[in-house]
Amino acid sequence: MTHICMLAAENDVIPGGKVGGIGDVVRDIPKALARQGATVTVLVPAYGAFHQITGASPVGVCTAVFRGRTERIEIYELFTGRDAGVRYLVAHHPLFASGGKGRIYCNDDANQPFATDANKFALFCVASLRALKEDLISSVDVLHLHDWHTGLAAALLKYDPDFQSLKPLKVVFSIHNLALQGIRPFAEHESSLQAWFPHLLYNHAELADPRWQQCVNPIATAIRIADVVHTVSPTYATEIVQANDQARGFHGGEGLERDLQQAAGQGRLTGIINGIDYDAPLAARLGWSEFMQAAADDMLRLMARRPDLRSLDYVAHQRLLRWQQEARPAHIITGVGRLTDQKMALLLQPLPDGSIPLDIMLDALKGRGMLLLLGSGDAELEQHCRTIAARHEHFLFLNQYSETLSNLLFANGDLFLMPSSFEPCGISQMLAMRQGQPVLAHAVGGLCDTISDKVDGFLFSGESMPSQATRMLERLNEVLQLREKRPDDFREIAERAQAQRFEWHDSASRYLSELYS
C-alpha cells in the first residue's frame, strides 16, 4: 500500500483553508486515492487558527533549524477518522500566522514580492521534513509537493545532510499556477535562502532563477529536482514548454520553459486533468424572482459582516432587488472567479480604438440580457469593474467571495463566461457544466481539455490579445443568436455539457500509475 504525504498551502477540507484551486485538489484527490487503496497524509500550515478547530488533537512536536535557531513546531490532526485512509494534519508555529490569524497569503509591496509568505513557507518546508524524519508522519513512500510554497522541500531533501535518511522518498511536484513562483534573493535580505538556511551547501545553478541568477526560484528548483513534475491538465503541460509571447498574449512557461523542456525530454513531465465531486448536491434552479431574492439575501449577509458599508455592495444589492421586479432577461450570463489579470485581461484590456471589451459586451447585451460577475481580488481590476457597472444597469458586479452566490450563479445562468488568458485546469467551467450551463471560454489549458466547441460549449482563440478579445465578442454574439433562433440546438449543447464527467476517480488512477508508481 503506497503512503503519500502531500505538502500544500491550502486544504478546503478545513473551514477557511482555501483561496484557490490548490485547496480544491487537496480536498478531493486524497479521498479518491484512498478509495483505490493508497494511504494519504495531508499537511498544511495552521496559520495560527486551524490547530484550534474543535476536535484537533496533538500528534507531537518536531524541531527544525531555521535562521540559525532551533524552532519548535507543533503538529495536530484534524477530523480524525472522517475519511478512511486519509489523515489531515496542520503545523503550528507563530510565523505561520505572520499575515494575521487564519490568513493564508499576505500582500507584500511590489519592492519585496512574496517576502512574508516565503518566510513562513520556508519554515513549513523544513518543519515538514523534520516531521517525517522524527516519525510524526511515518512509513511514507512518496512526498507530493504542491506549487511554489513547498518547492524548497525538494532542495532541502537533496542538499541538507539532516535529511539523508529521507532520500529514498519519491518526490512529485505539482504545478497549479506557474505565474506565481515565489522568487526571493539568495542572500542579503531577511527573506532569503541564506537567512533561512545559513548552513546549507547547494548547487547554485540548480536553485537559481533562469532570469535573475541572484535569486532562488522554488518552482524552478522543484522542477529540476523532482522525480515527476505534474500539471493539472494535459494541454497546460504542452503549453508551458513554450516561451512566453506577450504580443499574442501567450503565457507559455513563464520563463521556466527550458527547465520544463528538459523535464519533458526526460519523461518527467505529465499532465492529468483535475476533477470535481459529482456526489455533492446540485444547487436548485430557481424562478427569476427567487433567484434575485436569494442573491440579494446573501449579499446582505456579506454586507453585514463588514465593519463599513461599501457603496458598490449597496448598489449591487439594490440592483438585485430592482431586477427582481422586472421580467427575466432573455440571456443570463454569469462569471465566477478571482479578479486577476489571468481571468480579466481579455475583458478589460483596451482594444486598439480605445474601447473596452466588457463595455462592448454590455452594449450588445442591452435589452437582451444581463451579466452577473462574482469576484474579488486585484484592487485596480475591482475599480475597473465598478466604473463599468456604473454605466450599465444590466451589469451586476458582486464584489465578494461567497460559495452561496457561486452556487446560485452556476445553477441559474444560461451561459458561463471564462475568458482566461491561460488556465492550468480550471474548476468553474466544470461546475457550470455540471449544472447544465454551457461555457464560453478561451481555448487554452484545461479549458481545451474539458470543453468541446459546439458540442458541449463554445471556444474562441486569436493570435493576439486584441484578436482574442474581438473573437470573444463575436462568439458571444453567435451564441446569443443560437439561443434566440435555434433554442433546441442550444438546449442539446447544454444537455451534453451537463452529461460530461471529469471524475476524481479517473484522475486518481492516473496519479497512481503515472506519478507514484
Side-chain angles (χ1 to χ4, degrees), residues 80-212:
T80 304
R82 190 182 101 163
D83 297 312
V86 185
R87 295 181 77 198
Y88 301 108
L89 305 183
V90 296
H92 170 61
H93 183 280
L95 184 61
F96 299 151
S98 54
K101 186 175 181 180
R103 187 175 176 186
I104 296 176
Y105 303 123
C106 306
N107 293 319
D108 287 304
D109 63 53
N111 293 324
Q112 50 176 10
F114 303 109
T116 304
D117 283 344
N119 285 334
K120 68 190 180 194
F121 291 123
L123 175 59
F124 176 64
C125 286
V126 68
S128 300
L129 295 181
R130 287 293 302 183
L132 289 167
K133 182 180 178 181
E134 296 178 27
D135 267 348
L136 298 181
I137 308 169
S138 58
S139 304
V140 172
D141 303 296
V142 179
L143 182 64
H144 191 149
L145 310 176
H146 290 271
D147 248 5
W148 76 263
H149 323 98
T150 61
L152 285 181
L156 293 169
L157 199 60
K158 180 169 183 177
Y159 290 111
D160 194 327
D162 188 40
F163 301 121
Q164 289 297 306
S165 62
L166 301 180
K167 280 189 177 260
L169 287 175
K170 181 169 189 176
V171 178
V172 174
F173 180 62
S174 284
I175 298 170
H176 296 268
N177 189 345
L178 202 56
L180 301 174
Q181 298 178 13
I183 300 167
R184 294 303 303 152
F186 271 106
E188 298 182 3
H189 194 282
E190 64 177 3
S191 178
S192 67
L193 188 70
Q194 184 175 0
W196 303 323
F197 310 115
H199 64 284
L200 195 66
L201 299 176
Y202 54 87
N203 178 343
H204 183 280
E206 196 160 44
L207 276 58
D209 183 273
R211 298 148 296 190
W212 301 286

